[in-house]
Amino acid sequence: MKIRGYHGADINKIVSLFYETVHSINARDYSLEQLNAWAPKDEIEVKLTNWKESLSNNITYVAEINDKIVGFSDMSHNGHLDRLYIHKDFQGQGIATTLVNMLESEARELRISEIDTEASITARPFFERQGYQNIRSQTVERRNITLINYKMIKKLASE
């Protein structure tokens, strides 16, 4: 596995990975209606534009195996872990842990004392294993459909 910084040319593969992951991995915790609200196919073009900019502005890492993008994660410069998605065929191989560890290391270098995220029902156990504390459950609305996620925080110890 190779971890590298994000390049603008990655955007199509990253957005595709996002849609595939949400509609397969998150299907065990969310209804089809919720998945379609979270990752609607008719917003792909908007995501390509918006995400290209936000992933470029954030601290973003991409995981590759044999030159295939198998995961990505990004964090704002104030410590908000925004996205963490691992390809549906590469779950449980330590990719997410490696990406989060890289972001946490970067946060420490920037003297950020805590990282926060909004974890899906599916991702919550992963973040708990990484030392994130559940602050509260949240109900978010996408396209008039409600979804549950969790505001989570991890205090970072100085290295």
Side-chain angles (χ1 to χ4, degrees), residues 113-124:
S113 61
E114 69 179 32
I115 294 180
D116 71 278
T117 194
E118 295 173 359
S120 67
I121 295 168
T122 314
R124 179 181 170 184

Side-chain angles (χ1 to χ4, degrees), residues 3 5 15 37 60 64 67 75 101 105 116 119 124 143 147 159:
I3 305 292
V15 169
T60 305
E64 291 181 326
D67 297 320
M75 176 183 71
N101 287 343
S105 178
D116 71 278
R124 179 181 170 184
R143 295 183 161 214
L147 298 98
E159 289 185 338

Side-chain angles (χ1 to χ4, degrees), residues 5 20 35 64 88 113 127 151:
E20 288 178 26
L35 297 172
E64 291 181 326
K88 64 182 177 61
S113 61
F127 281 106
K151 176 74 170 184

Side-chain angles (χ1 to χ4, degrees), residues 125-144:
F126 165 79
F127 281 106
E128 288 174 337
R129 288 191 302 274
Q130 302 306 311
Y132 286 72
Q133 302 296 312
N134 180 30
I135 302 304
R136 66 180 172 275
S137 66
Q138 304 179 128
T139 301
V140 294
E141 190 171 301
R142 301 273 187 269
R143 295 183 161 214
N144 298 315

Side-chain angles (χ1 to χ4, degrees), residues 18 29-30 37 113 130 150:
F18 161 75
D29 297 306
Y30 295 91
S113 61
Q130 302 306 311
Y150 301 93

